[in-house]
Amino acid sequence: MNATIFRSAIHIAAISGIYLSVAMLIPAFIDIYYGHRDWEIFLLSAFMTGGLSLATAAATRAGPPPFNKRMGFLVVNMLWISGCFIGAIPLWLSSMKLTFAQALFESVSAISTTGSTVIVGLDNAPPGILMWRSLLHWLGGVGILALGLFIMPYLRVGGMSFFKLESSDTADKPFARIASYTRAFLTIYVAITIICAVTYAALGMSRFDAVNHAMSTVATGGLSTHDASFGYYKSLPLLWAGTFFMTLSSLPFSVLILFVVRQRLDAWRDPQIRVFLGYLVLFSVAASIYLRLQNGVDFHEALAHSFFTVSSIISTTGFASDDYTGWGHFIVALAFVATFLGGCSGSTAGGLKAYRLIILFNSIRTGLYRLIYPDGIHAVRYGSMTVDADLQRNVFLFFITYVSISAIGAILLGLMGYDVLTAVSAAATSLSNVGPGVTPEIGPAGSFTVFHDAALYVLSFLMLLGRLEILTVLVILTPLFWKS
């Protein structure tokens, strides 16, 4: 590994640490406003992390080397790992009395927009802590979009080059200048957050809750200010509003930009959008019919809860309107399958994602056609475009490692003494960045306090793996990566 590349990566991570330390002042002011003493913790954490980050940035300052893939992998990992540790500091020092493993788990869950929590008693938690979790969610969502739109396609790991839609200006990105693209996606991200917060407030949330839930919704995170999540409000209009914004945030952001900025209606022809909306509607309607016929729930109420719950799981947000683990075995099985699906590429959602499912299905179908007609020409297609061999290999590699790591995570948790269903569900929901599991202990009505520190470290690693598309992390663990 070139020392210059390593130093530059540390410098970039240190700059990011300075920004995070400034962000800690927001929950500090929130605590001051509500009269909670934890403002001192946030202020102390801001000075500690800010000072250390500033010193590190000054010590590693130098002319940046030419950007290459090795530096890209290293920068991405350093940014997210340092962000997770910095985010854990005020949680660890706060009045919540969390162990460091719990604080790190909560921080990773927030930044990776997973939404799992080890905190019980959110209704009475310090307002600064609640705001910090939501703020980490929101900033993590920005980072995810930046990775998906700019970094991942370049590294050819996880990111899908096809979602950078064709345009008349350039074949590689919707705007000729990345600066224009960056301004557009930040503007729309902020605008959707504001509209979501205003909508929530208009439908009955307090302003504090509306802001927190809006940041969590747009980032498809799922951390709430109440133990009962959206179930606290007992409002069907809020469930429909949440369903809309979770679904919107799971769509390709490049499509939203093309539609809003350039009025490109053809942008909505992206095949992954149809597939994503298709399985979301299918699962939601199936759950609604089951709730109506099996549990006798009013059909409108069943529709609202089903669409909210399914969109929350598939978008990997993790909000809850009720404890769906008590709705019946069919719903639990449906929720477990939905855990793996995920949203669209270029969104804040996690999971396998719709575009990979399309390519996997078309690859298998093309392979079967070749068995029947070996002399024919059969291309794997994504919409009207041909999928090259490299992207096909990357999709299959991701799928294999995804399944393998889920299994390894479940085995590790099983060896630590947890039952099979809890271990499998926790590993799957962490790697998919969904949040709640499908057992009562870690489901919508439970929390991850059932796991001891060693298990929380495993789950934290799985959340980070899932958020960074797995291969981005695994590649820096290979000896070859560190050879000059």
Side-chain angles (χ1 to χ4, degrees):
M1 171 61 68
N2 189 304
T4 304
I5 293 177
F6 193 72
R7 181 182 61 195
S8 296
I10 293 176
H11 179 76
I12 294 172
I15 296 297
S16 175
I18 295 173
Y19 289 129
L20 277 177
S21 66
V22 174
M24 290 179 190
L25 299 178
I26 296 175
F29 285 126
I30 293 293
D31 273 335
I32 291 173
Y33 178 80
Y34 285 99
H36 199 282
R37 289 292 301 275
D38 267 9
W39 69 267
E40 299 172 350
I41 298 299
F42 281 104
L43 198 60
L44 175 63
S45 300
F47 278 113
M48 286 172 50
T49 57
L52 181 60
S53 298
L54 189 61
T56 304
T60 55
R61 184 178 181 182
F67 188 84
N68 54 39
K69 289 189 176 183
R70 181 173 291 188
M71 182 179 177
F73 284 121
L74 192 61
V75 167
V76 167
N77 281 275
M78 281 197 169
L79 281 174
W80 285 81
I81 292 172
S82 62
C84 290
F85 277 95
I86 291 173
I89 292 174
L91 293 166
W92 184 37
L93 300 177
S94 74
S95 58
M96 299 302 296
K97 306 299 182 185
L98 302 177
T99 66
F100 182 74
Q102 289 175 326
L104 182 62
F105 175 88
E106 197 77 14
S107 176
V108 175
S109 177
I111 293 179
S112 65
T113 70
T114 301
S116 303
T117 184
V118 292
I119 299 177
V120 178
L122 293 170
D123 301 77
N124 300 312
I129 290 295
L130 298 176
M131 177 58 71
W132 182 235
R133 294 157 78 239
S134 300
L135 192 59
L136 289 176
H137 256 351
W138 195 81
L139 293 173
V142 173
I144 292 161
L145 287 172
L147 285 176
L149 294 173
F150 306 127
I151 305 299
M152 293 300 191
Y154 171 77
L155 298 179
R156 299 286 290 175
V157 176
M160 177 193 166
S161 56
F162 288 128
F163 85 84
K164 300 184 299 176
L165 301 176
E166 294 176 341
S167 73
S168 57
D169 292 336
T170 172
D172 292 327
K173 51 184 177 292
F175 294 95
R177 296 176 57 194
I178 289 183
S180 301
Y181 202 7
T182 303
R183 284 194 299 270
F185 100 74
L186 284 175
T187 300
I188 295 176
Y189 189 78
V190 172
I192 294 175
T193 306
I194 293 173
I195 295 171
C196 184
V198 171
T199 303
Y200 285 164
L203 293 176
M205 284 190 184
S206 67
R207 286 177 295 181
F208 180 78
D209 283 359
V211 171
N212 278 272
H213 283 94
M215 288 193 290
S216 189
T217 300
V218 177
T220 60
L223 290 176
S224 177
T225 55
H226 300 282
D227 288 331
S229 191
F230 267 66
Y232 173 84
Y233 303 99
K234 303 185 185 303
S235 168
L236 295 186
L238 270 175
L239 297 186
W240 285 116
T243 299
F244 172 78
F245 284 106
M246 286 188 292
T247 303
L248 180 66
S249 300
S250 302
L251 300 179
F253 222 75
S254 54
V255 171
L256 296 178
I257 293 172
L258 285 173
F259 176 70
V260 173
V261 177
R262 295 193 169 184
Q263 293 78 51
R264 286 276 300 276
L265 293 175
D266 62 309
W268 295 102
R269 296 175 185 170
D270 191 339
Q272 63 177 327
I273 296 177
R274 296 194 297 271
V275 170
F276 165 68
L277 294 178
Y279 57 63
L280 189 153
V281 172
L282 178 65
F283 278 45
S284 300
V285 172
S288 303
I289 295 173
Y290 180 86
L291 286 177
R292 175 58 183 163
L293 298 179
Q294 190 71 20
N295 298 347
V297 180
D298 176 77
F299 193 61
H300 178 224
E301 184 178 349
L303 276 174
H305 282 279
S306 296
F307 268 91
F308 181 87
T309 299
V310 171
S311 64
S312 179
I313 296 172
I314 289 180
S315 68
T316 69
T317 304
F319 283 135
S321 63
D322 195 7
D323 183 8
Y324 54 76
T325 61
W327 289 358
H329 295 303
F330 173 78
I331 301 295
V332 172
L334 185 146
F336 182 72
V337 174
T339 297
F340 296 93
L341 298 179
C344 298
S345 177
S347 72
T348 55
L352 285 171
K353 297 186 178 176
Y355 87 93
R356 289 195 183 96
L357 298 177
I358 294 172
I359 294 175
L360 282 170
F361 176 79
N362 287 339
S363 297
I364 294 171
R365 184 176 63 177
T366 301
L368 294 176
Y369 286 171
R370 286 171 180 163
L371 290 177
I372 301 172
Y373 303 105
D375 297 326
I377 299 175
H378 308 284
V380 177
R381 306 192 70 81
Y382 177 86
S384 61
M385 294 174 283
T386 301
V387 181
D388 61 62
D390 285 342
L391 185 55
Q392 291 180 52
R393 281 194 295 269
N394 285 340
V395 169
F396 274 98
L397 180 59
F398 179 89
F399 180 76
I400 292 169
T401 54
Y402 186 94
V403 173
S404 301
I405 290 172
S406 293
I408 293 171
I411 291 171
L412 287 175
L413 294 175
L415 293 174
M416 294 178 184
Y418 299 100
D419 65 89
V420 173
L421 188 55
T422 298
V424 171
S425 178
T429 194
S430 296
L431 192 62
S432 298
N433 303 119
V434 171
V438 296
T439 64
E441 293 80 10
I442 61 173
S447 72
F448 280 64
T449 52
V450 297
F451 294 103
H452 52 66
D453 285 1
L456 291 178
Y457 284 125
V458 172
L459 293 174
S460 296
F461 182 63
L462 289 177
M463 288 189 288
L464 191 62
L465 273 177
R467 189 68 278 172
L468 297 184
E469 304 282 0
I470 300 177
L471 302 179
T472 311
V473 179
L474 294 184
V475 72
I476 72 165
L477 300 180
T478 60
L480 182 63
F481 178 84
W482 298 97
K483 291 182 179 180
S484 300

